Amino acid sequence: MSLTKSERRQRIKFRIRKIVSGTATNPRLSVFRSNKEIYAQLVDDTNGTTLLAASSRDKEVSDKGTNVEKAIAVGKLIAEKALKAGIENVTFDRGGYLYHGRVKSLAEGARAAGLKF
């Protein structure tokens, strides 16, 4: 039985989510990557709410250049929003994607802007 790419990612995602969860003071930085865009959310899993969100579709990011440059800008944007809201520690959830390319760039952009994880 061979799995499709999306089924394989879903299995990895569930395996990660068994371990990683977020609280109001230490939310989960969840990443979703589509073929065109990249999205990041800060999620409080105890209440089941999204605290903040940023994406490459936002006005501040949409004209930044390559996909990797957009991912860095999204990371910086989510970090700025988080710091403004008084959140500086997060737990990173790569969402079943490899920590490489756009996902890694988003994480590095968030770290550069002051988030700790």
Side-chain angles (χ1 to χ4, degrees):
M1 174 182 134
S2 64
L3 297 173
T4 65
K5 190 184 273 190
S6 61
E7 288 171 338
R8 181 180 170 281
R9 188 180 83 74
Q10 199 65 33
R11 273 192 180 181
I12 295 168
K13 185 177 179 178
F14 288 142
R15 200 164 53 228
I16 292 168
R17 288 288 291 120
K18 276 194 283 187
I19 301 164
V20 175
S21 70
T23 61
T25 56
N26 188 20
R28 175 170 54 95
L29 175 57
S30 176
V31 175
F32 175 72
R33 189 194 70 175
S34 71
N35 286 338
K36 284 188 176 180
E37 312 289 346
I38 191 159
Y39 305 85
Q41 294 181 349
L42 290 182
V43 181
D44 174 7
D45 291 312
T46 55
N47 296 327
T49 57
T50 298
L51 305 173
L52 297 169
S55 77
S56 56
R57 299 183 69 166
D58 292 352
K59 289 178 192 156
E60 302 94 338
V61 179
S62 59
D63 55 351
K64 289 287 190 225
T66 67
N67 285 337
V68 172
E69 290 166 351
K70 285 182 187 177
I72 292 169
V74 170
K76 287 181 180 175
L77 181 63
I78 194 89
E80 288 167 11
K81 287 183 178 182
L83 293 173
K84 220 176 266 182
I87 300 166
E88 61 179 48
N89 290 321
V90 297
T91 306
F92 190 71
D93 174 13
R94 59 189 174 90
Y97 302 107
L98 292 177
Y99 187 76
H100 176 62
R102 288 188 283 161
V103 175
K104 184 177 179 180
S105 298
L106 188 141
E108 289 171 350
R111 279 197 190 102
L115 273 186
K116 294 181 183 129
F117 55 94

